Amino acid sequence: MIKRIISLLIITLLCSVALVGCNDDGTPRGMFSVTVEGEPFTLFVPDGWTDNRDSGISSAYFGLNVIATARAYAPENANATLSDYVDAYVEELKQTHENFSFTRKDAALGKDTPAVRLEYDLSRKAIDGAGNDTDSKLKTIQYISMHGGDAIVLSFYCESSAFEEYAEA
């Protein structure tokens, strides 16, 4: 299930809407836009997800454990390549997260949009419904590509304990 959701999010984020069945307004059937105004992309998520644009980020969540976001970042170096941006991003993650480890793979979005896929776990502290502190791990999968000088980062987060259950579905 998670693999299918990630695939749908990537397709709807970076591919032409004309390639999928659409409603009269151009929205892919069974999906809706959660894009913050001014972004150079459109992020669609499946119906039934909760819009989270009030956060100021193009994002949505499903239940308590599944989150999708998309953001455009202007690299500090205007001439940065995709590899330059990802290298700097990973270094930042290493500095802000203890024992940070990840997998990195070259990827492609659509036929001719190069991307990098990062996968890693992050610790998350939260407060449960009873007011108790809880610790959990979020499985994070990100696809990063360059568009018009901006780095576009599509992120998918899921509780690590639930990831395998959903990935098998």
Side-chain angles (χ1 to χ4, degrees):
M1 178 177 168
I2 286 177
K3 291 176 186 174
R4 284 186 225 132
I5 291 170
I6 292 172
S7 295
L8 279 172
L9 293 172
I10 291 169
I11 289 167
T12 57
L13 177 67
L14 296 168
C15 295
S16 170
V17 177
L19 298 177
V20 295
C22 298
N23 297 319
D24 292 338
D25 65 358
T27 303
R29 284 190 193 101
M31 304 189 97
F32 67 101
S33 172
V34 292
T35 309
V36 172
E37 190 174 325
E39 293 285 20
F41 57 80
T42 302
L43 176 62
F44 295 103
V45 296
D47 289 341
W49 284 51
T50 301
D51 183 338
N52 194 34
R53 284 179 286 185
D54 289 342
S55 67
I57 299 171
S58 299
S59 61
Y61 58 91
F62 182 76
L64 299 175
N65 298 325
V66 181
I67 305 162
T69 68
R71 305 239 5 223
Y73 297 93
E76 287 183 25
N77 174 357
N79 297 317
T81 65
L82 174 59
S83 185
D84 294 338
Y85 179 81
V86 173
D87 290 346
Y89 182 66
V90 167
E91 282 306 312
E92 185 178 317
L93 288 170
K94 285 179 180 179
Q95 291 178 17
T96 57
H97 299 286
E98 279 187 39
N99 304 316
F100 179 75
S101 65
F102 65 98
T103 59
R104 175 181 177 161
K105 297 179 184 174
D106 288 335
L109 302 174
K111 292 182 183 176
D112 51 350
T113 303
V116 171
R117 181 183 192 271
L118 296 177
E119 184 173 328
Y120 52 90
D121 288 322
L122 291 177
S123 295
R124 175 174 81 165
K125 293 201 179 285
I127 298 174
D128 67 16
N132 301 311
D133 288 337
T134 62
D135 291 326
S136 62
K137 292 222 178 269
L138 286 179
K139 171 69 73 180
T140 304
I141 297 173
Q142 294 180 308
Y143 285 85
I144 304 169
S145 67
M146 299 298 283
H147 175 74
D150 288 333
I152 308 295
V153 181
L154 172 64
S155 303
F156 178 81
Y157 309 92
C158 178
E159 288 285 338
S160 293
S161 61
F163 183 82
E164 293 303 320
E165 172 189 338
Y166 288 119
E168 296 300 317

